[in-house]
Amino acid sequence: MADPALTGHCGCEGVRFEIDEPLKAAGYCHCTRCQRRTGGGASATAVVAPGSLRIVAGEELLAAWEPEDGFAKIFCSSCGSALFGRAPDSDEISLVRLGVIDGDPHIRPQGRQFVAYAAPWEPIPDDGLPRFDETFPDR
Ligand SMILES: [Zn+2]
Ligand SMILES: [Zn+2]
């Protein structure tokens, strides 16, 4: 088998994963849920090609915060690392947090969503990326 395109792991290294196809899109989310679950001002997340992500270790460590009206936020129950997102009507992981990928994920954030809710303590960088008050229009 060829080497996977990307590998990644959580902070305690209990959870390991591989992604066999290039990531499809990426962006920053400034919503208050992402602020809460990360403790930061925004979260950088990428879209995974369907069927391309495999959990190779620590599947039993995965836990999820599942809001009634949004994506499930999957994290490592041992170290708390934010790892993945899953659509509410799906059982397949469709999002990966950029910060848990080893090395260069070979994609860059292309926009910022939920900027209407951005943290008051951190100005949004003047990076030229398109900004959306609510969700990305293509999701
Ligand atoms: Zn962990
Ligand atoms: Zn968010």
Side-chain angles (χ1 to χ4, degrees), residues 68-132:
E68 282 184 13
D69 58 345
F71 274 59
K73 290 93 172 68
I74 301 170
F75 57 95
C76 172
S77 61
S78 176
C79 68
S81 291
L83 293 167
F84 311 118
R86 188 184 62 223
D89 54 352
S90 172
D91 54 11
E92 186 179 348
I93 290 167
S94 53
L95 304 174
V96 62
R97 312 306 177 194
L98 282 185
V100 295
I101 291 171
D102 300 326
D104 191 336
H106 303 302
I107 196 167
R108 298 293 180 262
Q110 297 147 340
R112 297 177 174 277
Q113 69 173 356
F114 293 112
V115 297
Y117 311 91
W121 48 267
E122 185 172 66
I124 298 173
D126 186 17
D127 54 14
L129 295 179
R131 301 178 181 187
F132 304 97

Side-chain angles (χ1 to χ4, degrees), residues 20-95:
D20 287 329
E21 292 180 44
L23 298 170
K24 294 171 69 73
Y28 292 104
C29 185
H30 293 262
C31 81
T32 54
R33 282 177 183 163
C34 285
Q35 293 178 42
R36 295 284 174 194
R37 64 176 183 75
T38 64
S43 170
T45 294
V47 179
V48 177
S52 68
L53 184 145
R54 280 174 291 117
I55 308 298
V56 296
E59 187 143 26
E60 73 282 359
L61 293 175
L62 296 178
W65 172 26
E66 301 181 70
E68 282 184 13
D69 58 345
F71 274 59
K73 290 93 172 68
I74 301 170
F75 57 95
C76 172
S77 61
S78 176
C79 68
S81 291
L83 293 167
F84 311 118
R86 188 184 62 223
D89 54 352
S90 172
D91 54 11
E92 186 179 348
I93 290 167
S94 53
L95 304 174

